[in-house]
Amino acid sequence: MKRETLFLKAVIILIALPVLALCAWGLPSIVKEATDTYPAAWVYPLLVIMYLSAIPYFWALVQAYRLLSYIDKNEAFSELSVGALRWIKYCGAAISILYAVSEPFLYLIAERDDAPGLILMGMIIIFASFVIAVFAAVLQKLLKNAIDIKSENDLTV
């Protein structure tokens, strides 16, 4: 393993651990308390959406780890890297869509609790994952163009 990407791989693992802990222990206890206060028809859809959003989150982290592995193997300018960025783009868009679907339920809870900040927190997640999707799309396009230019130059020599 190269030292340049070792730190980034460790960071990927470290940002996966809190979400894994939240899915295993945090969300069930939060839902248990929330169902005492709010109707279950509002809380359980949010729980399902949060667990569903963990799937693309972890898949995007796996793809980022793979991308760093390609960089280690000097395969950064390959179709494999383009594919990893494509998956990261799809995962960011999926998380945005899932949390956009959760906004009506967050609105109901925030309206009952008079807490408009709850809706804002949901919007932050939507826009942050959308920015990641857009950034991955831009990197994917740039990498694809760089690969095309490299292949043209290899053919002309």
Side-chain angles (χ1 to χ4, degrees):
M1 230 188 266
K2 291 188 178 180
R3 290 179 53 165
E4 295 86 17
T5 60
L6 183 64
F7 174 73
L8 295 173
K9 287 180 178 181
V11 167
I12 288 173
I13 292 170
L14 286 176
I15 63 174
L17 292 177
V19 175
L20 186 62
L22 182 69
C23 288
W25 296 288
L27 287 179
S29 65
I30 291 170
V31 166
K32 184 180 177 184
E33 290 180 25
T35 52
D36 294 338
T37 309
Y38 306 106
W42 297 356
V43 176
Y44 287 123
L46 288 173
L47 177 70
V48 169
I49 288 170
M50 287 183 197
Y51 275 121
L52 285 177
S53 68
I55 296 168
Y57 176 79
F58 286 120
W59 185 246
L61 290 180
V62 166
Q63 294 303 314
Y65 195 89
R66 284 184 180 169
L67 190 58
L68 291 173
S69 297
Y70 299 147
I71 292 170
D72 281 346
K73 298 174 190 172
N74 290 327
E75 296 176 359
F77 292 99
S78 67
E79 288 297 323
L80 296 172
S81 297
V82 173
L85 285 169
R86 182 180 307 115
W87 276 111
I88 292 170
K89 174 182 69 173
Y90 292 152
C91 290
I95 292 170
S96 290
I97 291 168
L98 283 169
Y99 276 93
V101 168
S102 76
E103 281 298 309
F105 300 106
L106 287 175
Y107 174 77
L108 293 172
I109 291 172
E111 186 69 26
R112 186 170 184 181
D113 229 13
D114 197 28
L118 187 61
I119 297 169
L120 184 62
M121 288 175 53
M123 296 297 285
I124 289 172
I125 294 171
I126 292 169
F127 289 125
S129 57
F130 186 72
V131 165
I132 290 170
V134 169
F135 187 69
V138 168
L139 286 178
Q140 176 191 355
K141 184 72 173 170
L142 286 173
L143 187 60
K144 183 69 175 149
N145 288 342
I147 291 170
D148 291 343
I149 291 170
K150 182 179 179 267
S151 66
E152 273 184 33
N153 287 342
D154 289 345
L155 292 175
T156 58
V157 171

